[in-house]
Amino acid sequence: MKKVKVSICTGTACFVMGASEIMMLEDSLPEDLKNSVDIEIDGISCLEKCGNAQNGKAPFVLVNGEVLSAATISTVIEKIRAIAEE
Ligand code: FES
């Protein structure tokens, strides 16, 4: 089973911009993904991405080390699905 590690930035900027909602990811995961990928979700402190507009917009989420900016539950799920289908 493929492993996917999702680290959600819980620093202030990301939290305010919607990271708190992304923390509900586990409840929103489609059943097929839950059954095909071993998903670990945790929160991490500020990734230091929020201070530079070139990095994109908060909230930032790491999916297997890849940074997603302006992340939403949908874009995180899409990314997990892409990894699952690799
Ligand atoms: S608060 Fe998330 S990158 Fe700084």
Side-chain angles (χ1 to χ4, degrees):
M1 198 183 251
K2 275 194 184 149
K3 284 193 178 206
V4 179
K5 179 160 180 163
V6 178
S7 302
I8 302 163
C9 178
T10 56
T12 309
C14 290
F15 196 79
V16 171
M17 293 299 285
S20 54
E21 208 172 288
I22 304 173
M23 293 300 277
M24 315 291 279
L25 175 66
E26 188 139 30
D27 298 332
S28 306
L29 287 171
E31 282 301 317
D32 65 310
L33 268 192
K34 277 193 209 167
N35 296 331
S36 61
V37 190
D38 180 9
I39 303 173
E40 185 188 329
I41 302 169
D42 64 8
I44 47 171
S45 55
C46 178
L47 288 163
E48 311 277 326
K49 300 277 179 203
C50 54
N52 186 340
Q54 281 179 359
N55 293 324
K57 286 192 176 148
F60 294 94
V61 175
L62 288 177
V63 182
N64 280 3
E66 192 177 316
V67 180
L68 300 185
S69 62
T72 62
I73 285 186
S74 308
T75 60
V76 173
I77 289 175
E78 260 171 47
K79 185 72 201 168
I80 295 170
R81 191 173 292 286
I83 291 170
E85 287 169 1
E86 265 169 15

